[in-house]
Amino acid sequence: MPPTQKDVIVLGAGFVGVSAALHLQARGRSVAIVDRLGVVAGETSLGNTGIVQSEAVFPYMFPRAPLELLRGGLNQDPRVQIRYSALPSIAPFLWRYFLASSPKSRVRTAKAMRGLIELSVAEHQEFAGPARSGPLLRTGGWIKVFRTPRGRDAGIADAEEVRPYGIPFDVLTREQLLALEPHVGEAAIGGVHFSDPLTTSNPEALANSYADLFLARGGSLHKGDGRTLTASGDGWSVTTDDGAIQAREVVVAMGAWSDVLARSLGYRLPFGVKRGYHMHYAPRGNAGLSRPVLDFEKGYVVTPMARGLRLTTGAEFARVEDPPSSAHLDRVEPFGREIFPLAERRDAAPWLGRRPCLPDMAPIIGAAPRHKGLWFDFGHQHLGLTLGPVSGKLIAQMMTGETTFVDPSPFRMERFA
Ligand SMILES: Cc1cc2nc3c(=O)[nH]c(=O)nc-3n(C[C@H](O)[C@H](O)[C@H](O)COP(=O)(O)OP(=O)(O)OC[C@H]3O[C@@H](n4cnc5c(N)ncnc54)[C@H](O)[C@@H]3O)c2cc1C
């Protein structure tokens, strides 16, 4: 069978890959998506918290306060979980993350991310209209709740940091919180409501609705392993179940697995993963939630999803392929039951996702420095759902020589040289 010719191969069918493919297609490129699972959103894009976090200008940084470090290191902080057996492998990334977590670096990342984040809702809506994804999307934002006056002060101080970026929020008393979410338990003494973010009741279905639009517009999806990528003539070739596909250009959007391919091509990156779990619960009686709610001091979120109330955990530091463990979910579930109307579990085991991370918590979006026609679009950490469409726009503009809507230099791979 002769190879199929395309203009661009996109490796990875998560939010990031599908979005890049749609934007390239809109600019007249013929595009094939190749994913090792052969389905859309089979990994991390499937099971996340479902918030288009248009308020998340500031990245999550590695703690620097000695007590917080100690609690985290001893697995006493429910927001994080460390797999001790993985430490020898992940220590270099953790160290780079610690170093990149200075106040100065945090502000640098925030300034860079703002240009992407502020378009995140609008860029989702650009896809959602023609993809008819409307029923999957919710307005009404999300809420973080506090358990203690100390937590409230810290949470409000965090929120105040984004005010200069034009991000609206309301501080809620317990009564105001109950007016929005009547079933939140007494342990929550108040909250902050971010009203602008969109949320979804089914991230997997949302990604598939975008992919259906891509397919309806003439794109193709193939099952194949991106690690079969080889230089071929003037471009690149990948082996798939449907035969070889050749293209002049390739976009690597393999999320937490992108680093494996980058490394095989000679790019050594300080790459890490923050893993996270979810579990669905039946709601207790007629209780429920109408938007995602974060337990700020315990670091997990409960979101109303199509399958029930989805509890998503914070960061588990482990190797990408370490087997899943129920430890983190088991630790936070009792806190969840204090605040949320969670009845029985609905999944046989916790679902595991992997947030792809660079130490400065900004993605890599741009050309591979030493390979013509190779482009990178990965490392979207806690924000791949949020940033998928807007990152796709940026990389498509770069690849087609358009003026970019934002300065892409903070996202260059060379910042880690
Ligand atoms: C618990 C949790 C909650 C989260 N909540 C949110 C949220 O509310 N909002 C938000 O914006 N973000 C959230 N995130 C982060 C977000 O889910 C990720 O940043 C995002 O899914 C990354 O998308 P991606 O397309 O880069 O990667 P993925 O969705 O992981 O997709 C990568 C794709 O690459 C494919 N692949 C891997 N290896 C190969 C190979 N060798 N060859 C071909 N294909 C390959 C995989 O099969 C997969 O389909 C959350 C993450 C977790 C874990």
Side-chain angles (χ1 to χ4, degrees):
M1 195 165 30
T4 305
Q5 292 291 336
K6 295 278 179 172
D7 294 327
V8 185
I9 298 166
V10 174
L11 299 176
F15 269 110
V16 173
V18 169
S19 301
L22 265 168
H23 272 294
L24 285 159
Q25 191 182 50
R27 286 160 179 78
R29 299 292 194 267
S30 63
V31 183
I33 300 179
V34 176
D35 192 286
R36 69 169 173 195
L37 301 178
V39 296
V40 172
E43 294 283 358
T44 314
S45 295
L46 179 155
N48 57 47
T49 304
I51 312 178
V52 179
Q53 280 198 261
S54 55
E55 87 302 333
V57 173
F58 284 94
Y60 286 109
M61 283 305 185
F62 204 88
R64 292 197 146 202
L67 201 62
E68 207 182 335
L69 268 174
L70 186 69
R71 286 192 67 222
L74 295 173
N75 278 341
Q76 296 298 312
D77 181 340
R79 296 173 301 174
V80 290
Q81 178 87 11
I82 299 174
R83 184 78 63 99
Y84 293 129
S85 59
L87 273 176
S89 307
I90 64 174
F93 168 74
L94 293 180
W95 178 238
R96 292 288 296 263
Y97 185 20
F98 175 79
L99 292 178
S101 294
S102 66
K104 213 166 132 192
S105 159
R106 184 166 171 269
V107 171
R108 198 183 314 123
T109 296
K111 283 188 175 149
M113 295 295 271
R114 179 194 190 178
L116 300 181
I117 296 258
E118 65 188 2
L119 291 183
S120 57
V121 166
E123 287 299 323
H124 269 278
Q125 282 163 337
E126 284 279 306
F127 287 170
R132 300 180 195 280
S133 327
L136 298 167
L137 289 167
R138 243 180 335 231
T139 53
W142 67 277
I143 296 175
K144 59 176 165 182
V145 295
F146 315 121
R147 291 166 171 265
T148 63
R150 197 154 162 242
R152 182 180 56 208
D153 293 349
I156 294 174
D158 274 5
E160 286 296 344
E161 275 195 307
V162 300
R163 201 189 284 282
Y165 292 82
I167 290 160
F169 65 88
D170 293 309
V171 176
L172 307 174
T173 61
R174 163 110 185 129
E175 289 67 37
Q176 289 166 326
L177 172 62
L178 286 182
L180 289 173
E181 295 295 345
H183 302 292
V184 166
E186 278 174 20
I189 62 166
V192 166
H193 179 207
F194 294 101
S195 52
D196 277 4
L198 279 180
T199 66
T200 177
S201 54
N202 191 336
E204 180 188 14
L206 184 65
N208 273 277
S209 70
Y210 296 172
D212 287 347
L213 180 65
F214 165 74
L215 296 176
R217 288 176 171 173
S220 60
L221 170 68
H222 310 266
K223 185 172 182 185
D225 192 330
R227 290 170 301 179
T228 61
L229 186 71
T230 48
S232 147
D234 196 21
W236 298 90
S237 175
V238 168
T239 307
T240 76
D241 287 5
D242 306 316
I245 303 180
Q246 287 184 346
R248 242 180 320 113
E249 295 181 291
V250 175
V251 178
V252 180
M254 289 164 23
W257 298 269
S258 304
D259 178 48
V260 175
L261 182 55
R263 219 175 325 124
S264 73
L265 294 165
Y267 299 101
R268 295 197 70 80
L269 291 167
F271 191 84
V273 290
K274 290 188 193 175
R275 306 182 353 153
Y277 296 88
H278 84 213
M279 172 60 65
H280 291 99
Y281 299 84
R284 238 188 289 121
N286 291 327
L289 290 176
S290 49
R291 54 174 72 69
V293 179
L294 162 72
D295 182 347
F296 178 69
E297 283 152 89
K298 304 298 180 190
Y300 66 89
V301 184
V302 176
T303 303
M305 289 282 179
R307 210 177 132 61
L309 292 172
R310 175 181 290 180
L311 188 157
T312 43
T313 64
E316 183 196 41
F317 290 103
R319 287 167 292 229
V320 67
E321 295 302 357
D322 277 337
S325 149
S326 65
H328 202 184
L329 187 85
D330 292 344
R331 272 175 71 204
V332 297
E333 188 186 274
F335 297 122
R337 292 192 183 283
E338 285 171 8
I339 292 193
F340 299 102
L342 306 180
E344 73 275 6
R345 287 184 175 197
R346 281 190 169 159
D347 305 324
W351 167 90
L352 167 64
R354 293 141 174 113
R355 305 172 181 96
C357 298
L358 282 313
D360 58 2
M361 294 296 126
I364 291 177
I365 304 172
R370 297 191 296 278
H371 292 83
K372 189 165 165 261
L374 183 68
W375 298 82
F376 291 136
D377 190 3
F378 58 79
H380 292 76
Q381 34 100 8
H382 294 255
L383 297 174
L385 160 62
T386 305
L387 297 176
V390 75
S391 303
K393 182 175 202 169
L394 181 57
I395 200 152
Q397 288 181 334
M398 293 168 87
M399 290 173 70
T400 55
E402 269 176 48
T403 305
T404 56
F405 66 88
V406 74
D407 172 16
S409 61
F411 310 113
R412 282 155 51 101
M413 171 180 267
E414 290 89 328
R415 70 189 193 270
F416 298 113

